[in-house]
Structure formats: C-alpha cells, structure tokens
Amino acid sequence: MTEVLDGGVKIVKEGAEPGVMVRAEQVHKSFGSLEVLRGIDLTVRTGEVSCVLGPSGSGKSTFLRCVNHLEKINAGRIWVDGELIGYRERGGKLHELRSREVAAQRRDIGMVFQRFNLFPHMTVLANVMEAPLRVRGESKAEVRERSATLLARVGLADKSGGYPGQLSGGQQQRVAIARALAMRPKLMLFDEPTSALDPELVGEVLDVMKDLAREGMTMIVVTHEIGFAREVGDSLVFMDGGVVVESGVPREVIANPRHERTKAFLAKVL
C-alpha cells in the first residue's frame, strides 16, 4: 500500500506495491462452458518486459485482454499500478465499474493488436492524434507535435500525410504502436504484434519494441518470437490450458525448460 500526493492530498492506493506495475491473482475467465483461464497468477514489475509464450488456445490473448478489461473476468483480481482494474471492491465483493470509469483506466494502458485497426479514411498523423484529442481533450497543437515526434521515433516521419492503405503491414503496425504511445501509457500490451506480417517485415516492428524496452517501458508481450523473448524479455511465462505452466528468466527457460509441456512446445518452435 502506498501514498500518492494529488494536490497536496494523500491518496492511499490499496493494491499498490513498490516497483510492481501489474499483479494478477487467480484470474479465471470462461466463455460459456469453456474455461479459458483457470487461475492465472502473474506479477510484472515496473520497467519490465514480460513475454508470454504458449500454443494457440492457451489463453494468452484472453489474459491480455483481461488486463485492460476488454474481457470481464469471472473470478480473481487484476491491479495495474495499484488500481483494481474493471471493478470496485466492497465488503470482499467485486462490483463492476461504469463504462466511463473503465475507459478512464484504459487511458493509461496502451494496446497493440495482431491487426492494425487503423482508420482507413484518416491520414497516418490523424490516426495517431485521434485518441489524445477525443479521449484526453488535449490541445491540437500539442498533440500534433507529440504525434509527429512519435512517427519519427518509429521511422515514419515521411508517411504522416499518407493513408494506411498506402503502407506495408509493418509500417501500419508501427503506426499502431505510435498511436498507442500517443496516450502516454504507463503500460503497453502487445498481442502477437508480428503474427499478421510477412517475415521480412517482422524485424522493423521488433526494433521499435526493443527501443521501447531500452527506454524502460513496462510491457507484456504475447509472442511467438523466441529470439525477441530471449534478447529483450526480463521474464518469460509459458501458458497452456489456461494456466501458467512455467515462468522464469527467458534465457534459462528457453535453454533449460523444467516442465515437459514447455520442452515439447519449444522443441517445435526453435
């Protein structure tokens, strides 16, 4: 539990832990009779890159979507920077927040999907500017300057006046990353950001993510890019069947997996 100053008033954040950005406790999620998450425990420290591996259907993407309440959990709790996500707890019971309260929480959590989801009728620069203007209500001049800086940061300064349909898949994904960063998030979620790309375009997106890691951005990355996990990840989580099977330092888990299921998976993808 920590105290945060807000205009001189001390606000106690009940779920806060020093140095911890994300904490998930016994997270369960079902779709009808299908139990997709069966008790996920996960801690991601501030500034850490946590890579999540696992076969299709293991619950990786579902868990990621639960972190910013795009999916409602059935049991358990998730905190981001000490704030309980999606719910308010009273008397040991969870009560779901109103839509505008959830939207306010999402402002601090950037997410990059497999598909780029850019607005095709808007220029590249306008795509990046849209959320800060509409959601945060920031000044257009300030947002334009920041958005242009972000496009330069992802190597697309010369594409700001173009449209998504004129870009390659890798370029579109880099715009999507710039768009997420425009909201100045404290946490970035990546849901297999290179899976929809041609192999020769993967590297340009991973390079942007590596730069973010070097700058200390807290990231949870669902990926099949083992090399990225080994090189950039601070922690690695292997999921299967809706549970965390194994976790640890990426190089150690990849080189010497302890669990037979992890060994079998890595044998197929390495």
Side-chain angles (χ1 to χ4, degrees):
M1 187 163 63
T2 62
E3 293 181 336
V4 181
L5 286 176
D6 183 9
V9 179
K10 288 186 177 181
I11 300 173
V12 179
K13 299 176 77 173
E14 291 293 339
E17 298 176 53
V20 173
M21 180 59 71
V22 179
R23 180 160 62 92
E25 287 186 356
Q26 284 299 296
V27 174
H28 289 254
K29 172 64 182 177
S30 297
F31 296 100
S33 62
L34 177 63
E35 192 174 17
V36 179
L37 301 178
R38 299 189 290 123
I40 299 294
D41 291 312
L42 182 71
T43 298
V44 181
R45 301 192 66 79
T46 303
E48 177 179 326
V49 178
S50 179
C51 294
V52 184
L53 304 181
S56 297
S58 60
K60 311 182 301 298
S61 294
T62 297
F63 173 72
L64 207 64
R65 292 172 64 85
C66 289
V67 173
N68 64 359
H69 204 60
L70 285 175
E71 296 290 354
K72 302 175 184 180
I73 62 177
N74 298 113
R77 286 159 177 72
I78 299 174
W79 292 266
V80 173
D81 197 22
E83 187 173 9
L84 185 62
I85 295 297
Y87 301 91
R88 183 179 291 106
E89 187 168 2
R90 291 199 192 107
K93 293 184 178 181
L94 296 181
H95 303 271
E96 189 170 9
L97 297 178
R98 293 189 292 267
S99 296
R100 63 180 179 82
E101 294 174 303
V102 174
Q105 291 183 328
R106 289 195 188 121
R107 293 174 190 171
D108 295 325
I109 305 173
M111 187 159 186
V112 178
F113 300 87
Q114 297 177 32
R115 296 291 174 180
F116 326 120
N117 299 325
L118 301 177
F119 296 114
H121 63 288
M122 297 171 62
T123 66
V124 166
L125 181 62
N127 265 279
V128 178
M129 293 176 61
E130 181 72 0
L133 289 175
R134 288 190 177 272
V135 178
R136 290 197 183 276
E138 299 179 42
S139 76
K140 191 169 185 178
E142 179 186 344
V143 172
R144 179 181 293 274
E145 181 179 356
R146 183 165 77 248
S147 298
T149 299
L150 286 168
L151 286 172
R153 179 177 174 181
V154 299
L156 293 172
D158 60 331
K159 303 294 184 182
S160 63
Y163 289 85
Q166 299 170 320
L167 305 182
S168 69
Q171 290 171 329
Q172 291 187 60
Q173 192 62 294
R174 283 186 279 156
V175 173
I177 294 173
R179 179 182 57 184
L181 292 174
M183 289 290 284
R184 293 181 286 194
K186 62 180 70 171
L187 169 68
M188 285 286 286
L189 308 176
F190 291 88
D191 186 8
E192 298 190 36
T194 61
S195 65
L197 302 179
D198 292 333
E200 66 268 22
L201 302 177
V202 169
E204 63 190 50
V205 174
L206 294 181
D207 285 343
V208 172
M209 295 170 65
K210 290 174 185 177
D211 286 341
L212 288 176
R214 281 191 287 268
E215 293 168 9
M217 175 62 75
T218 309
M219 301 158 61
I220 304 178
V221 184
V222 171
T223 183
H224 289 299
E225 301 292 339
I226 305 298
F228 175 86
R230 183 192 292 114
E231 177 186 351
V232 182
D234 298 298
S235 64
L236 185 149
V237 174
F238 176 72
M239 287 180 60
D240 189 35
V243 299
V244 174
V245 175
E246 186 167 349
S247 62
V249 176
R251 289 179 181 273
E252 295 177 2
V253 174
I254 293 168
N256 297 294
R258 300 185 303 273
H259 197 282
E260 289 301 322
R261 184 65 187 93
T262 316
K263 292 178 183 178
F265 176 80
L266 291 173
K268 292 179 180 178
V269 299
L270 288 176

